Amino acid sequence: MNFSDSEIVASILEEAGFGSTKHIAEADMIFLNTCSIRDNAEQRVRKRLEFMKSLKKKNPQVVVGMLGCMAERLKTQLLEEENVLDLVAGPDSYRDLPRLMAEVESGTKAVNTLLSIDETYADISPVRYDSNGISAFISIMRGCENYCAYCVVPYVRGQERSRDAGSITAEAESLFRKGFREVTLLGQNVNSYQWISGGKTIRFAELLEKAALVNPLLRIRFATSHPKDLSDELLHTMARHKNICKAIHLPVQSGSTRMLDHMNRGYTREQYLDRIDAIRNILPGCAISTDIIAGFCDESEEDHQDTLSLMERVGFDYAFMFRYSERPDTLAAERYQDNVPPEVKERRLREIIDLQQKNSYQSNKEDAGKTFEVLIEGFSKRSDAFYSGRNSQNKVVVFPVTGNNPGEYVCVKISRFTSATLIGDAVNPDSL
Ligand code: 5AD
Ligand code: SF4
């Protein structure tokens, strides 16, 4: 999400006549795009600001700005706390950056943290400045109104709003023409996407289909799905199109219905498992990944065991796992006690990570001997003798370089694996 926002910012600044540089020492203006989702994300930004101070000592002319969720959350307080900052802009005020920068040049500090009900940056064509030229993100909606009890997003990214469907498919078409072969449609809760045009409502399944029809060689991914809104219709749409990747990120957060209710997630353990069964039935071979929070307020040992047993039952291919971090303004911060002791949170998180490692390894083990279509992204990190790409299930696949180029599809038969990577050799496509 932040990466995609940075591309929008780069485009707005380019339009206003600014160029970008990969070398921080050459920059006249430096923007930090920030995240507030967990406290450690904010702590990392504070550390980065220390580094900015050292740069500013060498070059007092350099302008330092903070963008994104942390800017939105702390607003003018940041200018008081962080002397090094000249400019603060929230996620809905990027169009205002040229004016804010002019304000800074005239000698004052500049702030805009107004949230909007309709800003989607639909007309802005993002600058893909740090891209492999093959995969790109397309933001399809902004904000969130789910108000999960632990989550700061609704407060820092504002109301949910969907972007014009036509501008999304046009962006996908333009990326394809430029040689991109994979786009990921991004939103906090893509399943509630809706765009009304000419009295007709386009929902997410239809948008996904339109994106898939751009070209069969363009892979479509999406994130994030909310379990309460994942429809069978969407799964059937995925089944109809080979180029819609068979990978679903479905954050569960906890395996305990009591905790899910406490978190205001809008589904029970059973309802989540029902969605998993629907995926397995309609999309056999589809990868499922998740997010899990350890040690949310009032989480008992039994609740934690429910999370572990749900993980055993589902066998997630991949998971992002976090210890609960209280965020200001959220329902949990206002009404609940952050009462799971740190060492208990730590131990539970460790158990969750250990189990997931086992599951990821098992998932890769089951892929040994299978053949997958892989989109080549470039050389592997370790060696130029190997290509690295991904299969439809979003697993990294590494294989000896062939006569193909990055951006092309090859079939790879898996012979070895680690818990993070599948390793194999290119084979004739007939063997798929
Ligand atoms: N503490 C820990 N993890 C959190 N997440 C969101 N808010 C918090 C929090 N306060 C996690 C959720 C979400 C992912 C993006 O970040 O698992 O799905
Ligand atoms: Fe946060 Fe919940 Fe919205 Fe996701 S759905 S961004 S966890 S409030």
Side-chain angles (χ1 to χ4, degrees), residues 20 24 46 69 92 120 129 148 159 168 192 207 220 226 241 246 254 282-283 365 367 369 372 382 394 404 426 429:
S20 62
I24 201 160
R46 299 273 185 187
C69 298
D92 286 345
T120 60
Y129 65 89
C148 301
Q159 283 181 31
I168 296 169
S192 64
L207 177 76
I220 315 294
H226 196 302
H241 296 275
K246 303 301 177 276
S254 167
I282 300 170
L283 295 169
K365 189 173 172 191
D367 286 341
F372 294 105
R382 295 227 180 123
N394 210 19
N404 304 80

Side-chain angles (χ1 to χ4, degrees), residues 144 146-148 150-151 153-154 188 226 265:
C144 181
N146 283 308
Y147 292 98
C148 301
Y150 50 80
C151 184
V153 169
Q188 304 291 352
H226 196 302
R265 287 290 290 173

Side-chain angles (χ1 to χ4, degrees), residues 55-338:
L55 286 179
K56 216 163 177 163
K57 244 189 215 138
K58 281 184 217 142
N59 174 11
Q61 300 305 319
V62 73
V63 173
V64 180
M66 187 185 287
L67 312 178
C69 298
M70 191 171 165
E72 188 61 51
R73 196 176 81 71
L74 295 167
K75 304 186 170 63
T76 46
Q77 188 187 330
L78 271 171
L79 293 179
E80 288 156 26
E81 289 172 1
E82 301 287 355
N83 210 2
V84 66
L85 282 176
D86 304 294
L87 183 155
V88 172
D92 286 345
S93 40
Y94 298 149
R95 282 182 208 269
D96 198 26
L97 278 173
R99 187 190 66 79
L100 295 171
M101 286 155 79
E103 226 174 83
V104 172
E105 285 200 330
S106 74
T108 50
K109 299 212 169 196
V111 184
N112 184 347
T113 52
L114 284 178
L115 285 174
S116 154
I117 53 164
D118 55 7
E119 177 63 273
T120 60
Y121 301 107
D123 56 316
I124 296 198
S125 164
V127 173
R128 313 289 172 179
Y129 65 89
D130 193 17
S131 157
N132 60 5
I134 291 158
S135 316
F137 294 110
I138 301 183
S139 168
I140 65 162
M141 57 202 299
R142 297 180 73 81
C144 181
E145 284 166 34
N146 283 308
Y147 292 98
C148 301
Y150 50 80
C151 184
V152 78
V153 169
Y155 307 91
V156 292
R157 297 192 73 90
Q159 283 181 31
E160 183 181 288
R161 60 225 110 115
S162 296
R163 173 179 168 188
D164 179 339
S167 78
I168 296 169
T169 43
E171 193 173 329
E173 277 160 11
S174 150
L175 284 165
F176 185 77
R177 278 195 303 274
K178 287 179 188 147
F180 285 81
R181 291 293 175 264
E182 183 176 88
V183 295
T184 304
L185 308 182
L186 280 185
Q188 304 291 352
N189 177 10
V190 292
N191 307 101
S192 64
Y193 174 89
Q194 63 167 20
W195 178 253
I196 301 168
S197 150
K200 211 180 147 274
T201 305
I202 297 177
R203 294 191 193 280
F204 184 60
E206 197 178 334
L207 177 76
L208 196 60
E209 184 133 62
K210 282 178 189 293
L213 292 172
V214 165
N215 195 294
L217 288 178
L218 183 68
R219 272 183 174 179
I220 315 294
R221 299 189 185 278
F222 58 91
T224 293
S225 289
H226 196 302
K228 74 180 166 58
D229 301 319
L230 182 77
S231 67
D232 283 2
E233 187 199 356
L234 177 73
L235 301 177
H236 287 296
T237 304
M238 291 176 74
R240 275 200 302 279
H241 296 275
K242 184 174 160 245
N243 60 330
I244 303 180
C245 290
K246 303 301 177 276
I248 297 183
H249 186 60
L250 199 65
V252 65
Q253 315 299 0
S254 167
S256 147
T257 295
R258 193 179 80 89
M259 277 295 107
L260 290 169
D261 184 46
H262 213 40
M263 289 173 165
N264 192 29
R265 287 290 290 173
Y267 55 87
T268 61
R269 173 188 174 96
E270 288 67 34
Q271 284 165 334
Y272 184 88
L273 290 173
D274 170 75
R275 293 295 75 207
I276 296 294
D277 292 344
I279 297 171
R280 300 267 188 249
N281 287 334
I282 300 170
L283 295 169
C286 181
I288 305 176
S289 55
T290 200
D291 294 347
I292 298 174
I293 298 177
F296 184 58
C297 312
D298 300 329
E299 186 188 70
S300 66
E301 208 48 44
E302 197 183 334
D303 295 318
H304 170 60
Q305 290 303 325
D306 282 350
T307 297
L308 295 175
S309 75
L310 180 129
M311 292 174 72
E312 292 271 11
R313 156 88 152 74
V314 177
F316 294 109
D317 298 278
Y318 190 80
F320 297 95
M321 298 154 285
F322 313 102
R323 74 182 66 73
Y324 170 60
S325 150
E326 185 177 273
R327 308 308 295 129
D329 299 326
T330 56
L331 187 85
E334 303 277 310
R335 302 223 195 123
Y336 307 158
Q337 296 273 323
D338 182 7

Side-chain angles (χ1 to χ4, degrees), residues 318-370:
Y318 190 80
F320 297 95
M321 298 154 285
F322 313 102
R323 74 182 66 73
Y324 170 60
S325 150
E326 185 177 273
R327 308 308 295 129
D329 299 326
T330 56
L331 187 85
E334 303 277 310
R335 302 223 195 123
Y336 307 158
Q337 296 273 323
D338 182 7
N339 54 3
V340 177
E343 63 283 4
V344 176
K345 270 187 200 170
E346 208 54 47
R347 193 248 311 148
R348 290 181 187 165
L349 179 63
R350 180 44 43 212
E351 288 175 8
I352 288 169
I353 292 173
D354 287 348
L355 176 52
Q356 183 51 44
Q357 235 167 3
K358 218 180 76 192
N359 282 348
S360 296
Y361 185 84
Q362 180 61 28
S363 157
N364 281 359
K365 189 173 172 191
E366 283 165 18
D367 286 341
K370 290 186 190 163

